[in-house]
Amino acid sequence: MFDSIFNAFYSSMDAIFMPIVQNMHPGISIFIIAFLVSFIINLATKVLVNQNRMAELKKELQEFQVKARKASKDPELMKELQEEQQKMMAMQMEMMKMSFKPMIYTWAPIIAIFAYLRHVYDFGGVVHQLNPDWNGVVVQLPYIISKMIFVSFWHWIGGIFYHGGFGIVSNTALGWLGWYILCSMATSMVLRKVMGIK
């Protein structure tokens, strides 16, 4: 039963993404998929979260943090801020609820995309079956960038939690998961600015 559900899911995703997967370099196709997912998440945030209220909350919390830093050297001022602190905690809770709202609608599509990417790019996946000599490397980063984003550390972390079958080729190489995360972070930052998300 589950096999037929998974097969139907992969077939429907193949209809959407397989032309990209088959006709483009893995680095480009994963970038496009990461961009689409980031766009959906940011669009949901833009539509579901009151951007003006979020900006107000962030501003008030930042102002309170500045006051709290000054008050740390002044016990009298610290007492005055205790009442305000309750209000700030309520505001933080409101921010959390607002931030959580888009997640309710986007977590299922994100998990589905991850499952599909694993099906396509993982060891024994579609791309590996089409090209058995493929070593799992999606991109080779310049040495300086790989050092700046601590690729060797993330390889070590990945080695603890993830055993996909591909070995680590070098500390400048990224597989599908590392490249997807990097693309997702970069595209999300750009989209948030373009879409005016607070």
Side-chain angles (χ1 to χ4, degrees):
M1 179 187 158
F2 285 114
D3 283 346
S4 60
I5 292 168
F6 279 119
N7 288 337
F9 165 71
Y10 290 138
S11 296
S12 61
M13 295 294 272
D14 282 344
I16 301 166
F17 293 115
M18 198 48 71
I20 298 171
V21 169
Q22 286 180 328
N23 296 309
M24 293 185 178
H25 184 276
I28 296 168
S29 57
I30 290 171
F31 176 84
I32 291 168
I33 293 167
F35 176 84
L36 290 172
V37 173
S38 292
F39 179 77
I40 291 164
I41 292 167
N42 284 296
L43 184 62
T45 303
K46 179 80 174 172
V47 171
L48 297 168
V49 175
N50 183 331
Q51 297 301 310
N52 293 331
R53 179 62 181 152
M54 182 63 90
E56 282 173 23
L57 290 168
K58 284 184 177 177
K59 188 180 175 187
E60 286 195 47
L61 285 165
Q62 283 169 355
E63 286 171 0
F64 177 77
Q65 284 167 356
V66 170
K67 283 187 206 170
R69 275 197 293 272
K70 289 177 182 173
S72 62
K73 296 170 186 175
D74 186 344
E76 290 279 321
L77 198 54
M78 201 64 164
K79 282 180 188 174
E80 288 175 28
L81 285 178
Q82 281 176 349
E83 279 183 36
E84 202 175 336
Q85 194 168 15
Q86 297 297 318
K87 184 188 165 191
M88 290 302 121
M89 284 172 73
M91 288 171 74
Q92 281 179 323
M93 188 60 69
E94 187 183 347
M95 273 180 69
M96 279 178 64
K97 284 180 184 174
M98 287 171 76
S99 300
F100 187 70
K101 201 188 288 185
M103 287 173 63
I104 295 167
Y105 298 95
T106 57
W107 71 270
I110 291 166
I111 290 170
I113 289 288
F114 263 98
Y116 181 70
L117 286 171
R118 187 171 184 180
H119 164 73
V120 172
Y121 293 107
D122 211 3
F123 186 79
V126 174
V127 173
H128 193 216
Q129 286 172 15
L130 292 170
N131 182 10
D133 295 330
W134 184 50
N135 61 7
V137 174
V138 172
V139 292
Q140 285 279 1
L141 297 173
Y143 179 78
I144 188 72
I145 292 174
S146 67
K147 284 291 180 190
M148 285 168 63
I149 62 171
F150 309 106
V151 169
S152 56
F153 171 74
W154 297 116
H155 281 171
W156 177 73
I157 294 287
I160 296 169
F161 296 103
Y162 178 74
H163 304 284
F166 288 122
I168 293 169
V169 175
S170 76
N171 281 329
T172 61
L174 288 180
W176 72 267
L177 182 58
W179 181 237
Y180 174 85
I181 291 168
L182 198 62
C183 291
S184 184
M185 287 169 65
T187 55
S188 189
M189 281 169 60
V190 172
L191 284 167
R192 285 180 80 85
K193 280 191 175 293
V194 170
M195 296 169 85
I197 295 167
K198 309 297 181 192

